[in-house]
Amino acid sequence: MKWIRHAWIVVLLAGITASFTAWQWLRQQEHQSLQAEIKHRSLVKLHAVQSMLQQHVDASMAAASFAEAEIHGHGYVEEEDATGFLRSILARHPNEITAMAIMPTTAHGSAVFMSSDGKLRQFDPPLDMAELSQLLPGASRLILMHNKDHQPRLRLMMATSGIPSGYAIADLNIRYLATQAVTRGQPFGLDVKLSTLEQGHERLILRHLSRLRKAAAEEEEEEERNWLSGFEVAGLGFVLRTHAAPSLVAQFLSWRPLAALCFGMVFSWLVALVLFNRSRYSERLQTLVDMRTAELKIERQKLASVI
């Protein structure tokens, strides 16, 4: 049984290889599960933000439809009717839409401006009439701006269809909208960054830390814990970045791979030790048998010489 002499080495190497393979496989499974969960939760956040923005953009576009209906109906925009219409929209979205205006051409009525808090008398930042006049009939444009308090605002500019007969403008509180979309309901566990994408450049709008994060300290972001995607609303591109909070990562990365590695290593060493001791015992036993055989041969030779 000469093969037993080196069998322990083969068993030890095979055990170590199997242990590392099991550790790597279990670790890969956990990381794949983590990445799938990050993607799922991130998509939920992205759809929530996109639908929230689209909902309020659509609500703001109603002002252009109102102006167009008024002009086509009786040739002008009644100031009292326009005021009541804007007041009803702002009352329904007091925090989301900060200011609105209906601006028909001079021949079709007077401009009507209204803010959600009743304090503003004009848009903040001021309205660029040259930029507004560049809109084609029926077109709309969404741009990111900052007011005098350096708060981001989405300005939606709309032109009525047909012959240019008026415009409608609405300022959206993008930070409030995004915060409401990100924090509303499940799931938690993600840090979120929302930016606009204009001409290849990103402009940060919102950075929200997960409720599951115990501290707001910066940490090194591993690529496998990040997720990135984009969407478009009214022609303006947005980029949503997410990063898994440590508490979410801890739910998927467990001690099982390390335990499997340790157990496999210990088991391999024990089996190898048993085989090693057996081989040593077999060698010692063979040595004793050989010695005894030699002694008997010498005794037989002595006896034969005497006889």
Side-chain angles (χ1 to χ4, degrees):
M1 299 181 65
K2 295 182 179 180
W3 62 271
I4 298 181
R5 180 179 302 178
H6 303 293
W8 69 274
I9 299 177
V10 176
V11 170
L12 180 60
L13 292 178
I16 292 175
T17 302
S19 300
F20 273 102
T21 301
W23 169 77
Q24 187 175 18
W25 184 82
L26 290 173
R27 188 170 179 269
Q28 184 179 7
Q29 291 299 309
E30 290 187 344
H31 282 271
Q32 288 178 352
S33 298
L34 173 62
Q35 291 172 359
E37 184 65 20
I38 291 174
K39 180 179 180 180
H40 167 70
R41 298 190 181 202
S42 299
L43 285 173
V44 172
K45 299 291 187 186
L46 183 142
H47 293 154
V49 173
Q50 184 177 8
S51 61
M52 179 73 77
L53 291 178
Q54 189 65 58
Q55 173 187 348
H56 288 84
V57 166
D58 292 343
S60 302
M61 285 184 173
S65 300
F66 171 83
E68 183 176 339
E70 287 288 295
I71 293 173
H72 290 172
H74 42 81
Y76 64 94
V77 176
E78 180 67 41
E79 183 174 352
E80 184 177 352
D81 293 341
T83 301
F85 182 80
L86 295 182
R87 182 179 291 112
S88 64
I89 295 180
L90 292 175
R92 188 168 184 177
H93 308 281
N95 299 310
E96 296 87 350
I97 304 177
T98 59
M100 295 187 73
I102 294 177
M103 303 180 64
T105 57
T106 305
H108 298 93
S110 302
V112 178
F113 173 85
M114 183 171 294
S115 62
S116 57
D117 58 6
K119 297 179 181 179
L120 292 178
R121 300 304 176 191
Q122 60 179 359
F123 283 105
D124 180 21
L127 183 64
D128 187 348
M129 295 302 298
E131 191 173 28
L132 186 65
S133 62
Q134 294 176 1
L135 288 176
L136 297 175
S140 62
R141 185 184 179 191
L142 189 64
I143 58 176
L144 177 67
M145 311 184 76
H146 289 78
N147 62 12
K148 60 183 179 182
D149 297 325
H150 306 289
Q151 297 298 315
R153 293 288 185 267
L154 284 181
R155 175 160 294 171
L156 178 63
M157 299 182 295
M158 303 156 282
T160 57
S161 60
I163 299 175
S165 53
Y167 304 94
I169 305 96
D171 278 0
L172 307 179
N173 188 345
I174 176 59
R175 183 165 292 173
Y176 179 86
L177 287 169
T179 302
Q180 290 297 307
V182 168
T183 58
R184 181 178 297 174
Q186 296 284 349
F188 304 135
L190 295 177
D191 298 337
V192 178
K193 290 182 180 179
L194 180 66
S195 307
T196 58
L197 184 62
E198 299 178 90
Q199 298 179 349
H201 298 286
E202 292 186 25
R203 299 174 65 184
L204 182 64
I205 296 175
L206 173 72
R207 183 179 183 219
H208 176 77
L209 297 179
S210 166
R211 300 181 189 180
L212 297 182
R213 180 180 289 277
K214 295 181 179 179
E218 292 288 339
E219 63 176 18
E220 183 179 354
E221 295 189 355
E222 299 182 22
E223 183 177 354
E224 64 181 5
R225 302 180 186 179
N226 297 335
W227 187 85
L228 166 68
S229 187
F231 60 94
E232 186 176 292
V233 175
L236 180 62
F238 292 86
V239 176
L240 186 75
R241 300 176 184 272
T242 61
H243 176 70
S247 52
L248 175 62
V249 176
Q251 296 177 15
F252 289 86
L253 303 185
S254 66
W255 49 266
R256 286 189 293 270
L258 183 59
L261 176 63
C262 294
F263 175 80
M265 295 286 288
V266 171
F267 182 78
S268 300
W269 277 104
L270 290 176
V271 174
L273 182 61
V274 170
L275 292 176
F276 176 76
N277 289 335
R278 184 174 179 180
S279 66
R280 295 286 293 174
Y281 173 77
S282 298
E283 289 178 359
R284 289 195 300 269
L285 183 61
Q286 186 63 41
T287 301
L288 291 175
V289 170
D290 293 341
M291 290 175 58
R292 186 57 180 164
T293 301
E295 291 175 356
L296 290 175
K297 185 177 181 181
I298 294 174
E299 291 294 335
R300 190 181 299 112
Q301 290 175 353
K302 288 180 180 181
L303 182 60
S305 62
V306 171
I307 297 176

